[in-house]
Amino acid sequence: MIIESNNINIRQIAESGQCFRMNEIKQDTFSLIAYGRYLQLKQLDDTAIEISCSGEEYELIWKDYFDLSYDYNRIIQKLMKGKDDFLKKAGDYGKGIRILRQEPFEILISFIISQNKNIPSIKKCIEGICNRYGEFKISEEHYKMGYYAFPTPGRLANAKKEELRELKLGYRDEYIIKAAQAIHEGRINLDQLKACSHEEAVTALKTIPGVGDKVANCISLYGLHHIEAFPVDVWINKVLNEVYQNSFDVEQYQGYAGIIQQYMFYYMRSLK
DNA sequence: ACCCAGGCCTGGA
DNA sequence: TCCAGGCATGGG
């Protein structure tokens, strides 16, 4: 089925560093594994994508996943009318980005892995985990394409350190197991954190070893959809230092700073 | 060989 | 409270 929007660009989303299982499989066509499903997305033009699922499945899952009820154009227009030159360029450059509503547990583990790694390396590690611990599935709708879902908390909670080391996760092995156990044993309830405030969520997430301020903000933004989160990584740090001389005022964008952060990140990386 | 990657933890000022 | 060094691994 076709989705029309002035603010949806699959390539930009796939390259925006918020999701790690979206890949280009042929020109302008991307695969995606999420919520235990396999999907293909084709960019038709600047204002439309084709999504390989029924209208029913779209309404049930993907409309929400791509955050299609939110008006990103309103944010872009606000930036265009403002006087922040960098954000004008960044907004124009990344106006097809949206903040996905991804599975909280997958995001928790993915961003624990992300520390001190580049994006290609993060992707490799996540695929390794899925291949080793995820459920193997077959998509009848895609010529019986086989794929692995992201593993459940229970499967990862019972993983062995040595196994994870084989997957080249390095010192993150223990972090991953501890995090999965916290979820599996119910000490941390991610759905509950979705319902409470961003600040409370970050505080709770930081009790998990291997989750510091940056990773907690990423989980809050990408996994819990607290779009006021503002994760500061090396790239955003570069923006804050070099572009704003450490005088950027996040408060101007209160309530949706995470979207602004995403435009900054995507644009700054394009400059190198 | 060195440096960096969507950082975090620990120990010592 | 702030900072330095260490931490696994792969790629430039």
Side-chain angles (χ1 to χ4, degrees):
Chain A
M1 73 169 288
I2 311 286
I3 302 172
E4 293 185 19
S5 165
N6 287 322
N7 299 94
I8 184 163
N9 184 298
I10 299 303
R11 183 183 307 283
Q12 290 180 3
I13 293 171
E15 293 175 355
S16 70
Q18 60 173 309
C19 60
F20 303 105
R21 302 197 77 195
M22 192 182 285
N23 294 297
E24 188 166 26
I25 51 177
K26 57 189 177 194
Q27 186 66 36
D28 294 324
T29 301
F30 293 76
S31 65
L32 166 66
I33 301 167
Y35 287 91
R37 295 166 189 257
Y38 177 89
L39 196 68
Q40 288 183 7
L41 304 149
K42 183 176 182 184
Q43 191 79 37
L44 300 175
D45 56 47
D46 284 349
T47 64
I49 65 167
E50 183 179 356
I51 173 169
S52 66
C53 70
S54 66
E56 190 182 358
E57 183 174 329
Y58 168 73
E59 288 295 334
L60 195 65
I61 300 174
W62 304 113
K63 182 179 177 184
D64 194 45
Y65 183 86
F66 287 100
D67 199 23
L68 283 159
S69 301
Y70 191 87
D71 186 5
Y72 285 79
N73 193 44
R74 188 175 63 84
I75 309 291
I76 296 295
Q77 290 314 313
K78 197 173 294 187
L79 294 180
M80 293 312 151
K81 286 175 194 154
K83 41 190 169 179
D84 186 321
D85 207 44
F86 181 79
L87 277 180
K88 252 183 219 178
K89 285 186 273 187
D92 185 52
Y93 184 74
K95 58 178 177 286
I97 297 174
R98 313 181 73 84
I99 307 292
L100 304 177
R101 293 177 189 261
Q102 303 183 73
E103 290 181 275
F105 180 66
E106 176 173 343
I107 292 299
L108 167 63
I109 301 300
S110 296
F111 278 92
I112 286 176
I113 292 171
S114 78
Q115 61 184 213
N116 236 39
K117 274 186 174 299
N118 53 37
I119 291 175
S121 173
I122 298 165
K123 285 184 162 191
K124 275 184 197 169
C125 287
I126 291 173
E127 287 316 301
I129 282 194
C130 292
N131 294 345
R132 175 69 181 76
Y133 301 101
E135 183 186 350
F136 181 72
K137 297 191 167 195
I138 291 173
S139 174
E140 299 295 341
E141 299 84 3
H142 298 88
Y143 306 100
K144 299 185 192 278
M145 162 75 69
Y147 63 97
Y148 290 90
F150 195 86
T152 62
R155 290 286 288 127
L156 280 184
N158 292 309
K160 298 279 164 273
K161 269 210 286 189
E162 302 73 48
E163 298 169 354
L164 292 173
R165 280 298 166 101
E166 287 172 21
L167 299 178
K168 304 302 179 187
L169 288 159
Y171 63 88
R172 303 164 190 78
D173 53 4
E174 202 159 13
Y175 295 159
I176 292 168
I177 294 170
K178 290 265 174 61
Q181 286 173 345
I183 305 306
H184 185 56
E185 295 164 9
R187 278 179 284 124
I188 289 189
N189 184 325
L190 293 172
D191 289 324
Q192 209 168 302
L193 295 186
K194 216 186 262 189
C196 71
S197 76
H198 161 63
E199 287 75 15
E200 287 175 290
V202 164
T203 302
L205 289 167
K206 282 168 79 171
T207 64
I208 300 172
V211 177
D213 202 56
K214 189 271 173 183
V215 167
N217 270 274
C218 283
I219 298 166
S220 187
L221 178 56
Y222 307 128
L224 308 175
H225 207 75
H226 291 309
I227 60 171
E228 64 268 44
F230 192 83
V232 178
D233 73 322
V234 289
W235 290 97
I236 296 297
N237 223 343
K238 200 175 302 207
V239 172
L240 299 183
N241 289 333
E242 297 176 11
V243 180
Y244 295 97
Q245 287 79 45
N246 297 314
S247 65
F248 180 73
D249 178 23
V250 197
E251 305 297 315
Q252 295 174 266
Y253 308 100
Q254 204 161 39
Y256 57 98
I259 297 174
I260 302 299
Q261 183 268 17
Q262 202 63 24
Y263 296 143
M264 282 181 171
F265 177 82
Y266 183 67
Y267 182 57
M268 193 61 179
R269 281 167 55 92
S270 79
L271 300 179
K272 294 237 171 178

